[in-house]
Short mmCIF file of all heavy atoms in Angstrom, two decimals:
data_model
loop_
_atom_site.label_atom_id
_atom_site.label_comp_id
_atom_site.label_asym_id
_atom_site.label_seq_id
_atom_site.Cartn_x
_atom_site.Cartn_y
_atom_site.Cartn_z
N THR A 1 -13.29 20.55 8.62
CA THR A 1 -13.67 20.52 10.04
C THR A 1 -14.71 19.43 10.26
O THR A 1 -15.73 19.40 9.57
CB THR A 1 -14.24 21.87 10.49
OG1 THR A 1 -13.28 22.91 10.24
CG2 THR A 1 -14.57 21.83 11.98
N ILE A 2 -14.44 18.54 11.22
CA ILE A 2 -15.39 17.50 11.57
C ILE A 2 -16.11 17.90 12.85
O ILE A 2 -15.50 18.48 13.76
CB ILE A 2 -14.68 16.13 11.71
CG1 ILE A 2 -15.70 15.00 11.82
CG2 ILE A 2 -13.72 16.13 12.89
CD1 ILE A 2 -15.07 13.60 11.71
N SER A 3 -17.39 17.58 12.91
CA SER A 3 -18.18 17.89 14.09
C SER A 3 -19.32 16.88 14.19
O SER A 3 -19.54 16.09 13.25
CB SER A 3 -18.74 19.31 14.02
OG SER A 3 -19.61 19.45 12.90
N ARG A 4 -20.02 16.90 15.32
CA ARG A 4 -21.15 15.99 15.45
C ARG A 4 -22.28 16.65 16.20
O ARG A 4 -22.07 17.52 17.04
CB ARG A 4 -20.69 14.70 16.14
CG ARG A 4 -20.22 14.87 17.56
CD ARG A 4 -21.15 14.12 18.51
NE ARG A 4 -20.62 14.10 19.86
CZ ARG A 4 -20.96 14.98 20.79
NH1 ARG A 4 -21.79 15.97 20.50
NH2 ARG A 4 -20.47 14.89 22.01
N ASP A 5 -23.48 16.20 15.87
CA ASP A 5 -24.69 16.65 16.55
C ASP A 5 -25.25 15.43 17.28
O ASP A 5 -25.76 14.50 16.64
CB ASP A 5 -25.69 17.20 15.53
CG ASP A 5 -26.93 17.77 16.19
OD1 ASP A 5 -27.42 17.19 17.18
OD2 ASP A 5 -27.44 18.79 15.69
N ASN A 6 -25.15 15.44 18.59
CA ASN A 6 -25.54 14.26 19.37
C ASN A 6 -27.03 13.97 19.23
O ASN A 6 -27.44 12.82 19.10
CB ASN A 6 -25.17 14.49 20.83
CG ASN A 6 -25.28 13.22 21.65
OD1 ASN A 6 -24.88 12.16 21.19
ND2 ASN A 6 -25.82 13.32 22.83
N ALA A 7 -27.86 15.01 19.25
CA ALA A 7 -29.31 14.82 19.18
C ALA A 7 -29.73 14.20 17.85
O ALA A 7 -30.64 13.38 17.78
CB ALA A 7 -30.02 16.15 19.39
N LYS A 8 -29.05 14.58 16.78
CA LYS A 8 -29.39 14.06 15.45
C LYS A 8 -28.58 12.83 15.09
O LYS A 8 -28.79 12.24 14.02
CB LYS A 8 -29.16 15.15 14.39
CG LYS A 8 -30.06 16.36 14.54
CD LYS A 8 -29.80 17.37 13.43
CE LYS A 8 -30.73 18.56 13.55
NZ LYS A 8 -30.49 19.56 12.49
N LYS A 9 -27.63 12.45 15.95
CA LYS A 9 -26.74 11.32 15.67
C LYS A 9 -26.14 11.45 14.27
O LYS A 9 -26.14 10.52 13.47
CB LYS A 9 -27.48 10.00 15.84
CG LYS A 9 -27.88 9.72 17.28
CD LYS A 9 -28.61 8.40 17.44
CE LYS A 9 -27.70 7.23 17.40
NZ LYS A 9 -28.39 5.96 17.72
N THR A 10 -25.63 12.62 14.02
CA THR A 10 -25.08 12.94 12.72
C THR A 10 -23.69 13.56 12.87
O THR A 10 -23.47 14.37 13.77
CB THR A 10 -25.99 13.92 11.96
OG1 THR A 10 -27.27 13.29 11.76
CG2 THR A 10 -25.41 14.29 10.60
N VAL A 11 -22.79 13.13 12.02
CA VAL A 11 -21.45 13.69 11.96
C VAL A 11 -21.32 14.48 10.67
O VAL A 11 -21.77 14.03 9.61
CB VAL A 11 -20.38 12.59 12.04
CG1 VAL A 11 -18.99 13.15 11.77
CG2 VAL A 11 -20.42 11.91 13.40
N TYR A 12 -20.71 15.64 10.77
CA TYR A 12 -20.56 16.52 9.62
C TYR A 12 -19.08 16.67 9.26
O TYR A 12 -18.21 16.63 10.14
CB TYR A 12 -21.14 17.91 9.91
CG TYR A 12 -22.58 17.88 10.30
CD1 TYR A 12 -22.96 17.97 11.64
CD2 TYR A 12 -23.58 17.76 9.34
CE1 TYR A 12 -24.29 17.95 12.01
CE2 TYR A 12 -24.92 17.74 9.71
CZ TYR A 12 -25.27 17.83 11.04
OH TYR A 12 -26.59 17.81 11.39
N LEU A 13 -18.83 16.86 8.00
CA LEU A 13 -17.49 17.21 7.55
C LEU A 13 -17.61 18.45 6.67
O LEU A 13 -18.18 18.38 5.57
CB LEU A 13 -16.83 16.07 6.77
CG LEU A 13 -15.37 16.32 6.38
CD1 LEU A 13 -14.49 16.36 7.64
CD2 LEU A 13 -14.87 15.23 5.43
N GLN A 14 -17.15 19.57 7.18
CA GLN A 14 -17.16 20.82 6.44
C GLN A 14 -15.88 20.89 5.60
O GLN A 14 -14.77 20.85 6.16
CB GLN A 14 -17.23 22.01 7.39
CG GLN A 14 -17.24 23.36 6.71
CD GLN A 14 -18.49 23.61 5.89
OE1 GLN A 14 -19.59 23.27 6.31
NE2 GLN A 14 -18.33 24.22 4.72
N LEU A 15 -16.04 21.01 4.30
CA LEU A 15 -14.91 21.05 3.39
C LEU A 15 -14.78 22.47 2.84
O LEU A 15 -15.65 22.93 2.10
CB LEU A 15 -15.11 20.08 2.23
CG LEU A 15 -15.05 18.57 2.47
CD1 LEU A 15 -16.17 18.09 3.38
CD2 LEU A 15 -15.09 17.82 1.16
N ASN A 16 -13.73 23.16 3.19
CA ASN A 16 -13.48 24.52 2.71
C ASN A 16 -12.20 24.54 1.87
O ASN A 16 -11.38 23.64 1.94
CB ASN A 16 -13.35 25.49 3.87
CG ASN A 16 -14.62 25.64 4.67
OD1 ASN A 16 -15.73 25.47 4.15
ND2 ASN A 16 -14.49 25.94 5.95
N SER A 17 -12.07 25.60 1.08
CA SER A 17 -10.87 25.79 0.24
C SER A 17 -10.56 24.53 -0.55
O SER A 17 -9.42 24.06 -0.59
CB SER A 17 -9.68 26.19 1.12
OG SER A 17 -9.94 27.35 1.86
N LEU A 18 -11.58 24.01 -1.20
CA LEU A 18 -11.42 22.73 -1.90
C LEU A 18 -10.46 22.85 -3.08
O LEU A 18 -10.40 23.89 -3.75
CB LEU A 18 -12.79 22.23 -2.37
CG LEU A 18 -13.62 21.58 -1.25
CD1 LEU A 18 -15.08 21.50 -1.63
CD2 LEU A 18 -13.07 20.20 -0.93
N LYS A 19 -9.75 21.77 -3.31
CA LYS A 19 -8.78 21.68 -4.39
C LYS A 19 -9.17 20.52 -5.31
O LYS A 19 -9.83 19.57 -4.86
CB LYS A 19 -7.39 21.41 -3.82
CG LYS A 19 -6.93 22.40 -2.77
CD LYS A 19 -5.60 21.97 -2.18
CE LYS A 19 -5.14 22.93 -1.09
NZ LYS A 19 -3.85 22.49 -0.49
N PRO A 20 -8.75 20.55 -6.55
CA PRO A 20 -9.06 19.42 -7.45
C PRO A 20 -8.59 18.09 -6.89
O PRO A 20 -9.25 17.05 -7.11
CB PRO A 20 -8.32 19.79 -8.73
CG PRO A 20 -8.30 21.28 -8.72
CD PRO A 20 -8.12 21.67 -7.27
N GLU A 21 -7.51 18.08 -6.15
CA GLU A 21 -7.00 16.82 -5.58
C GLU A 21 -7.87 16.30 -4.44
O GLU A 21 -7.63 15.20 -3.93
CB GLU A 21 -5.55 16.97 -5.12
CG GLU A 21 -5.29 18.15 -4.21
CD GLU A 21 -4.76 19.35 -4.98
OE1 GLU A 21 -5.28 19.66 -6.08
OE2 GLU A 21 -3.83 20.02 -4.45
N ASP A 22 -8.87 17.05 -4.02
CA ASP A 22 -9.82 16.57 -3.02
C ASP A 22 -10.92 15.73 -3.67
O ASP A 22 -11.76 15.15 -2.96
CB ASP A 22 -10.47 17.74 -2.28
CG ASP A 22 -9.49 18.50 -1.41
OD1 ASP A 22 -8.66 17.85 -0.74
OD2 ASP A 22 -9.56 19.75 -1.40
N THR A 23 -10.94 15.67 -4.98
CA THR A 23 -11.94 14.88 -5.69
C THR A 23 -11.81 13.41 -5.32
O THR A 23 -10.73 12.82 -5.43
CB THR A 23 -11.78 15.05 -7.21
OG1 THR A 23 -12.07 16.41 -7.56
CG2 THR A 23 -12.71 14.12 -7.97
N ALA A 24 -12.91 12.82 -4.86
CA ALA A 24 -12.90 11.43 -4.40
C ALA A 24 -14.31 11.03 -3.98
O ALA A 24 -15.20 11.90 -3.85
CB ALA A 24 -11.94 11.26 -3.22
N VAL A 25 -14.49 9.75 -3.73
CA VAL A 25 -15.68 9.28 -3.02
C VAL A 25 -15.35 9.34 -1.53
O VAL A 25 -14.33 8.79 -1.10
CB VAL A 25 -16.07 7.86 -3.43
CG1 VAL A 25 -17.28 7.40 -2.62
CG2 VAL A 25 -16.36 7.80 -4.92
N TYR A 26 -16.19 10.01 -0.79
CA TYR A 26 -15.98 10.17 0.65
C TYR A 26 -16.88 9.19 1.39
O TYR A 26 -18.09 9.13 1.15
CB TYR A 26 -16.29 11.60 1.07
CG TYR A 26 -15.19 12.56 0.69
CD1 TYR A 26 -14.94 12.89 -0.64
CD2 TYR A 26 -14.37 13.12 1.67
CE1 TYR A 26 -13.91 13.76 -0.99
CE2 TYR A 26 -13.35 13.99 1.34
CZ TYR A 26 -13.12 14.30 0.01
OH TYR A 26 -12.09 15.16 -0.33
N TYR A 27 -16.28 8.43 2.31
CA TYR A 27 -16.98 7.41 3.07
C TYR A 27 -16.99 7.77 4.55
O TYR A 27 -15.96 8.19 5.10
CB TYR A 27 -16.30 6.06 2.91
CG TYR A 27 -16.31 5.50 1.51
CD1 TYR A 27 -15.26 5.76 0.64
CD2 TYR A 27 -17.37 4.72 1.07
CE1 TYR A 27 -15.26 5.25 -0.65
CE2 TYR A 27 -17.38 4.20 -0.23
CZ TYR A 27 -16.33 4.48 -1.06
OH TYR A 27 -16.33 3.97 -2.35
N CYS A 28 -18.12 7.55 5.17
CA CYS A 28 -18.23 7.65 6.61
C CYS A 28 -18.00 6.26 7.20
O CYS A 28 -18.44 5.25 6.61
CB CYS A 28 -19.62 8.16 6.96
SG CYS A 28 -19.95 8.30 8.71
N ALA A 29 -17.33 6.19 8.34
CA ALA A 29 -17.05 4.90 8.96
C ALA A 29 -17.09 5.06 10.48
O ALA A 29 -16.88 6.16 11.00
CB ALA A 29 -15.69 4.40 8.52
N ALA A 30 -17.33 3.96 11.16
CA ALA A 30 -17.43 4.03 12.62
C ALA A 30 -17.01 2.71 13.25
O ALA A 30 -17.15 1.64 12.65
CB ALA A 30 -18.86 4.36 13.04
#
């Protein structure tokens, strides 16, 4: 689930039910 907090100018990515195939370097981009 992706979400954002406008006041903190922060975007979050909640990762649930993780699998081994989710292993990676995660990059934020805009």
Side-chain angles (χ1 to χ4, degrees):
T1 303
I2 191 170
S3 61
R4 65 116 171 94
D5 184 321
N6 192 41
K8 296 182 178 180
K9 293 180 77 173
T10 299
V11 171
Y12 303 100
L13 185 67
Q14 180 67 40
L15 290 64
N16 296 331
S17 303
L18 282 162
K19 306 175 182 179
E21 52 263 43
D22 293 318
T23 295
V25 178
Y26 283 70
Y27 296 92
C28 178

